[in-house]
Each structure stands twice: as structure tokens, then as C-alpha cells.
Amino acid sequence: MPPQVRKFFFDFYQLETAAGNAGLAPMAPLHVLEEFKRKFDTPGENTVRTLNGKTLELRNIERTEYGFRGIIGKYRRSQLPHAAVPGGDERELELNADEHLVEKSYFKFFSDYSLLVLQRNHFAVGPVYLGMYLSINGYTTILNPVIEPADLQMLMRNTTQVRNIKMTIARPVNPELFQNIEHDFTNSIIASLNSSNSASINISLRGDGHSLDPTKRYLERSLKNAILEIKRNFDLKKANIGLEENGVVHPVDLVTDRLATTKDIQMVGRYPSAVDMWDGLREARQVKEVELVAYFGALNGPRLR
């Protein structure tokens, strides 16, 4: 039988770590990962954390010349399906009393941009819970999705006006992320989610497209910064923005236009080849280097090869 190959997705995030109170010194995400590496290497310690009923653990973490690489795992106990040969009898699959199912995602962290490239695995861990996992010792870490730089540049250009906004925002799972909110619009969203007890909130804002008066035709310019603040702090399910420039409307989607790559990976049994996964993460950075420089700005130093 020829080797099985599956397509894997890799997503890009910028890690940001903030102190929970004024008495704590600033800490970079690199140092947060160094603390997890120390715990991982120390006999008698481990990196297991349980958050909202989900148990996460670094199954591997290694220091590299560019930062770190590792594997994050999520444990779960659930009823296993039966196994059977087509046309034959079924049998139960069982776990020992102390065993759990484990789902894993590979990642690489590049310290130059505080950039995390994460294998997308919805059964393992997403950006919200990974940020919660990396929030320790009074510090909060969040994963900011990197969006296509062309979309970001268009959004922030002084010549573009906001015609309409449609967003679906999931209830925040870590209230510590919202301590330094700057925009009243964002604060009103938090208040709505907290007071309504809803799992998500749908927002639709629209100017008067028939009016020639700019104060009626377009939304407030300050909403551009609010949109970026919401993108940083919330789990956005939908974020469609209509921008007008020189009479032309340009649709921008901050969810589907996030930076991502794919790679076909050879499977070893039920799991991907570790060597191919590490190569895929490295190639993801290389393939998107031009977009990353456009998004973050050029670095004054040797570039990664």
C-alpha cells in the first residue's frame, strides 16, 4: 500500500504577553516559553494545566537558534468507538483507568517577530486556549492572528472610509484579556456578552449608502482601531468590513483572510511524520516571508534561512 498523505494547515499568530498588575516587570513571550522549557526539563515538575475542564500539556519543547519548537497536547476522556472489519464482528476499544486520548498540534516560535506558526488541529488546541495555557505567574499571553498585510494596509489607510461592519464574536473565555481595553465600542461588546449570557453576539453597523453627506454615509474613523482591538482580544467567528476608497467599495474579511499555508504530509500510521511536520512549519515561514515583512516591518539584522 502506498504511503498515505494528508493536507495540513499552518496558521500564523503574533504572541503578546502583558503583566496582570503594575508591580510585575514586563515579560516577553520568549521568556514565557523559557519558563515552560525549564519546567519541562525539571525532574518532578510537568507542564500540565487544566483550563475550563480542558487538560493541556507540552508534549515536547526544544530551544532552537530561532526560538522554540514544540508539540502541545490536549487530553480527553470519551467513549471510544468500536473497531470492526467490514463484514465481521465488532469489538470495544478500551483505555486504562489512568489513560486519556491525546490530540496534538506542532508549532514553531520565531523570536524575531514573536511569531508562532501553529499546526491547525481543531481536536487539539486553538489560539484562545493556547493563549490561556501560556498565561502564567500573573502574566497574560494572547495569540493575535496575522492577517493578510494588504487587508491591514487598506483598513488603516487614511483614504479609506468604513461603510459597514458585520461581526460575530464568541463569548470571551478569559476575562483577564480585557483589562486594558481602550475603545468604548469594545467595552460595550464585553458588557453585552456579560449581561446577555449568550454564547456569541452578532454586530451589524451600516452607514446610509444613499447619502452624500460623509457624516451619514460612513461610520466613525475611530472604529478602525476598535476593529483591530477586537481582533486582538476576541475569538472572531465572522468579521466582514466594507471599505470605500475613491468611490469603490472593497470587502475585507479579517477571518478568512488570515495568513495561512498548507502542506501535504506523509502519515505514519494514524499520525503525521514528525520530520515532515517540522519541515512544514519551517517552509510555512519561508513561503510567507514577504507578507510577514510587509505586516511587521523589516528587521535590522540577519534573516532566517
Side-chain angles (χ1 to χ4, degrees):
M1 180 181 295
Q4 184 183 4
V5 172
R6 278 184 52 199
K7 185 183 295 294
F8 286 84
F9 289 80
F10 303 102
D11 297 310
F12 294 74
Y13 302 93
Q14 184 184 33
L15 263 62
E16 181 180 348
T17 298
N21 61 70
L24 293 174
M27 178 180 286
L30 177 69
H31 299 142
V32 172
L33 290 170
E34 286 174 343
E35 174 62 15
F36 275 96
K37 171 65 172 169
R38 183 199 64 77
K39 291 174 67 69
F40 185 86
D41 291 339
T42 301
E45 293 196 44
N46 62 60
T47 61
V48 176
R49 299 195 69 197
T50 299
L51 305 161
N52 293 342
K54 302 181 190 300
T55 301
L56 308 178
E57 180 187 24
L58 278 169
R59 301 290 296 168
N60 180 61
I61 183 168
E62 304 171 25
R63 195 70 161 91
T64 67
E65 73 276 9
Y66 53 79
F68 284 94
R69 72 178 193 179
I71 304 171
I72 181 75
K74 182 181 81 173
Y75 295 97
R76 60 188 176 93
R77 291 192 68 89
S78 64
Q79 187 67 37
L80 294 178
H82 286 188
V85 175
D89 294 332
E90 298 181 9
R91 64 179 177 86
E92 289 189 359
L93 301 175
E94 295 184 356
L95 294 173
N96 293 331
D98 59 347
E99 288 183 321
H100 294 68
L101 301 175
V102 59
E103 295 284 352
K104 298 182 289 186
S105 286
Y106 289 69
F107 67 86
K108 283 191 175 183
F109 173 78
F110 300 91
S111 61
D112 54 0
Y113 286 136
S114 281
L115 175 72
L116 187 87
V117 184
L118 177 67
Q119 172 209 345
R120 188 187 304 172
N121 183 352
H122 298 300
F123 295 105
V125 60
V128 174
Y129 271 94
L130 184 52
M132 293 172 62
Y133 177 80
L134 295 175
S135 298
I136 56 172
N137 302 332
Y139 293 88
T140 297
T141 296
I142 60 175
L143 278 68
N144 298 318
V146 177
I147 64 174
E148 291 286 351
D151 287 348
L152 180 64
Q153 291 163 0
M154 179 172 289
L155 174 65
M156 299 312 296
R157 278 205 297 265
N158 290 330
T159 54
T160 59
Q161 302 278 359
V162 182
R163 286 282 304 272
N164 54 74
I165 299 171
K166 289 185 178 180
M167 288 184 171
T168 300
I169 301 170
R171 173 181 287 278
V173 293
N174 184 1
E176 292 182 5
L177 300 180
F178 312 108
Q179 293 179 351
N180 298 311
I181 293 300
E182 298 177 357
H183 202 283
D184 290 341
F185 181 65
T186 313
N187 272 317
S188 67
I189 292 172
I190 296 171
S192 296
L193 281 167
N194 288 338
S195 63
S196 65
N197 200 33
S198 61
S200 64
I201 184 171
N202 293 302
I203 298 170
S204 181
L205 303 174
R206 183 180 297 275
D208 182 358
H210 299 289
S211 175
L212 297 179
D213 182 351
T215 62
K216 298 179 180 178
R217 183 178 178 84
Y218 307 118
L219 301 175
E220 287 289 335
R221 283 184 176 273
S222 64
L223 284 176
K224 290 184 177 184
N225 290 325
I227 290 167
L228 295 180
E229 187 175 63
I230 292 166
K231 179 185 77 72
R232 285 196 303 269
N233 292 286
F234 286 93
D235 181 14
L236 284 177
K237 302 301 183 184
K238 179 171 73 175
N240 298 322
I241 301 147
L243 300 174
E244 183 174 317
E245 185 175 39
N246 299 323
V248 179
V249 177
H250 305 274
V252 171
D253 190 329
L254 297 185
V255 174
T256 60
D257 289 350
R258 292 175 179 177
L259 212 60
T261 63
T262 64
K263 182 177 175 61
D264 291 336
I265 301 289
Q266 182 172 317
M267 304 297 290
V268 180
R270 297 180 57 206
Y271 299 97
S273 160
V275 172
D276 285 357
M277 289 298 290
W278 297 132
D279 287 345
L281 289 161
R282 173 181 53 80
E283 290 174 14
R285 167 72 193 255
Q286 292 174 338
V287 167
K288 293 297 183 180
E289 189 70 13
V290 172
E291 288 93 333
L292 292 169
V293 171
Y295 187 90
F296 292 109
L299 293 170
N300 297 321
R303 307 299 297 123
L304 288 168
R305 300 300 179 190

